[in-house]
Amino acid sequence: MTEPTFFVLTALLDGPRHGYGIVAEVTDLSQGRVRLKIGSLYGALDRLVGGGLIELDREEAWQGRLRRYYRLTERGRHALDAEARRLAANARLASIRLRRQNPIEGTSA
Amino acid sequence: MSRLEERYRRVLRLLPAGYRRQWEDDMVAAFLETMQTGDAETDEYLADHGRPSLAEMTSILSLAVRLRIGGPDAPPRPYVWGQAVRLAVLTGVLTQAAMATVGLAVTLWLTGALSWLPAPASEWALVPPIGTWQATLHVAGYAWLPAFLALVLGHRRVAQAVAVIAIAPQAVTVAVEQAAGPAPLTVAAWAMLVVELLLLVAMSAVHRDGVPVARRRWLLALPVGILAVPVPLFVAQASMPALRLLDWPGLCCVLVVVAMVVHLGVRAFRPPSRTLPWSLALVILAATALVQRTATLPDLVGQVQRTALLTIASVQIVAVLAVGVPLAVLAFRLLRHLPSVSAAAQPPHTAD
């Protein structure tokens, strides 16, 4: 799972969002580190919809335009859960090794 | 519609029509929101004078490339295009690798390292590289061999990094000689460089989205290719001076014509849908060879044997067109019947 995809799914965890809503939430979640470009966002959305990980929630009119809201599916939730566990396990591995290198302080030098 | 929206929609035209039907309005709405600052005056100014940033345009461009040159989960038409590009790239890198290997073998032979071979004639005496730079340039070209192996074995990024080693010294030389060289540079040097750079960029299409490469076949293709093309060519050119009139763009034309003729023969006995990626790959290679041949024609005008060279080049152009155009017509006719947007992705095939 690519980083943009991971953040898009995470952004949709607490409720449906529209395109710009996802961009803003991902910027917030990553503390400004990941700034999704529209091409990358819709590349990810297209794949996620195709793979059944997200789906259209509703359409709302806003300033004369239609906003499409997307929501996470059960399948998407499972995929994100699996990816989060995998990343957490990787991070744990690294932390254990780092602590072993510097056991007294419990941190790396 | 604001000027900014017009500009953004113009960039979105890079995307396939089917994709735009589904996503364009949504993308425009999201983009326009990202451009809003909260200050009415600034927003009004941006609506008139603002432009999508370079990063936004690049993201659309890379999405367009990804959608058009598809992986196994893409609809049939972009998937076939993807396979064609992957086959053309592998063939291009294979050609570079085969030529580099024989170049290395010939250099070793001329320096006497291959003592079991008959000694080279005195007229073939090796001119030692004048300086460190020439030596670097000479050795760097051999990097195409490890680049090919890395590409076939699935290390695409390594392959690209190694190919940069092959290309970078050559690029610097071409640029420096063009700027300060004693004689005006030939078009051929630039043409070769452009083709190699295109190859480097297009290598990104290989192994993307987990499209497997038929390793054994491509690895076998290297020794077969070496024995079938550069070795006999070197022997023939060494014994028949007339054959030395065949330059690199000319050789590319000859190779692609032979490959297309063989392919047309094979195609007659197989279901056309299976051979379509190869048909398109050969059309891409033929078009490249044709452009390279045509662009380098001015080089030939300045040569002593220009009449013979121009005649040979014309025959090469006619031959590529005579075989390439019918193949392209057949391939595109077949391609038109494939859906460009569909949920039903084709089962993945290996790039063989």
Side-chain angles (χ1 to χ4, degrees):
Chain A
M1 189 181 286
T2 60
E3 199 176 49
T5 308
F6 179 81
F7 273 109
V8 168
L9 292 177
T10 309
L12 293 176
L13 261 180
D14 60 353
R17 289 180 199 278
H18 61 283
Y20 176 68
I22 297 173
V23 174
E25 182 67 9
V26 168
T27 309
D28 255 15
L29 277 172
S30 66
Q31 295 171 326
R33 196 171 53 80
V34 180
R35 288 178 190 275
L36 283 180
K37 297 285 164 273
I38 302 301
S40 333
L41 171 68
Y42 282 86
L45 287 183
D46 180 42
R47 283 181 167 195
L48 291 170
V49 170
L53 273 66
I54 63 168
E55 61 191 7
L56 186 66
D57 182 72
R58 63 183 192 278
E59 290 183 335
E60 269 180 18
W62 183 80
Q63 291 191 353
R65 292 183 189 284
L66 219 52
R67 270 179 168 177
R68 276 191 203 155
Y69 284 74
Y70 300 91
R71 66 164 172 260
L72 202 60
T73 62
E74 211 39 50
R75 200 168 163 187
R77 194 177 289 272
H78 283 304
L80 181 61
D81 185 46
E83 182 66 4
R85 281 171 197 272
R86 193 183 68 82
L87 292 175
N90 289 353
R92 217 168 22 245
L93 265 176
S95 304
I96 291 170
R97 288 234 159 160
L98 283 168
R99 254 181 255 128
R100 252 190 238 155
Q101 278 192 346
N102 200 348
I104 299 166
E105 292 175 27
T107 58
S108 64
Chain B
M1 189 187 296
S2 70
R3 300 278 297 279
L4 177 62
E5 182 175 341
E6 268 174 35
R7 287 184 189 120
Y8 191 63
R9 283 189 189 270
R10 217 173 294 144
V11 179
L12 293 185
R13 276 191 217 145
L14 288 168
L15 302 169
Y19 187 89
R20 270 188 288 146
R21 264 196 298 279
Q22 195 181 349
W23 297 101
E24 181 170 344
D25 289 337
D26 214 17
M27 292 175 85
V28 170
F31 169 72
L32 292 177
E33 278 193 73
T34 63
M35 293 293 279
Q36 292 197 341
T37 58
D39 175 58
E41 212 172 301
T42 315
D43 287 349
E44 205 174 310
Y45 177 83
L46 282 176
D48 237 10
H49 301 282
R51 284 174 189 283
S53 69
L54 189 64
E56 284 292 356
M57 291 204 279
T58 313
S59 81
I60 300 298
L61 183 68
S62 63
L63 178 62
V65 171
R66 182 168 78 69
L67 291 171
R68 289 181 190 278
I69 302 173
D73 55 350
R77 202 187 300 179
Y79 175 66
V80 166
W81 265 121
Q83 285 296 78
V85 170
R86 284 183 276 276
L87 291 171
V89 169
L90 282 163
T91 310
V93 181
L94 169 71
T95 311
Q96 298 280 4
M99 291 297 173
T101 312
V102 173
L104 180 64
V106 169
T107 309
L108 289 174
W109 174 56
L110 293 178
T111 52
L114 304 178
S115 52
W116 47 275
L117 280 175
S122 56
E123 61 164 309
W124 288 91
L126 193 65
V127 181
I130 303 159
T132 323
W133 180 250
Q134 273 90 341
T136 311
L137 191 65
H138 201 64
V139 174
Y142 301 140
W144 280 110
L145 178 61
F148 172 73
L149 295 176
L151 190 64
V152 171
L153 295 175
H155 307 287
R156 195 246 303 161
R157 283 181 197 282
V158 176
Q160 283 177 306
V162 178
V164 168
I165 297 175
I167 298 171
Q170 193 196 340
V172 173
T173 310
V174 169
V176 169
E177 282 187 12
Q178 180 71 59
L185 208 62
T186 57
V187 182
W190 283 105
M192 274 179 85
L193 186 61
V194 170
V195 169
E196 288 179 10
L197 285 172
L198 278 177
L199 211 49
L200 177 70
V201 174
M203 277 159 94
S204 306
V206 183
H207 292 290
R208 220 200 49 206
D209 300 330
V211 184
V213 168
R215 288 182 183 187
R216 207 177 298 170
R217 275 190 214 182
W218 282 103
L219 289 178
L220 192 65
L222 183 63
V224 171
I226 289 170
L227 292 175
V229 182
V231 170
L233 183 72
F234 177 74
V235 174
Q237 286 189 330
S239 50
M240 294 165 68
L243 279 175
R244 290 178 209 168
L245 290 179
L246 186 66
D247 56 358
W248 173 249
L251 178 64
C252 291
C253 289
V254 172
L255 289 177
V256 83
V257 167
V258 171
M260 286 193 293
V261 169
V262 171
H263 175 74
L264 281 169
V266 173
R267 199 179 175 277
F269 301 100
R270 289 202 180 169
S273 57
R274 277 206 62 186
T275 52
L276 183 57
W278 262 118
S279 304
L280 287 171
L282 288 169
V283 170
I284 295 171
L285 292 169
T288 314
L290 197 64
V291 170
Q292 198 176 220
R293 175 73 284 172
T294 316
T296 50
L297 283 179
D299 287 350
L300 306 180
V301 178
Q303 304 280 330
V304 183
Q305 292 162 300
R306 62 173 162 272
T307 317
L309 286 168
L310 284 171
T311 312
I312 295 169
S314 315
V315 172
Q316 288 160 353
I317 291 173
V318 170
V320 173
L321 287 173
V323 190
V325 170
L327 181 62
V329 170
L330 287 172
F332 285 119
R333 205 177 284 164
L334 210 58
L335 193 68
R336 224 176 301 143
H337 294 299
L338 292 178
S340 60
V341 181
S342 148
Q346 280 205 332
H349 294 296
T350 52
D352 55 3

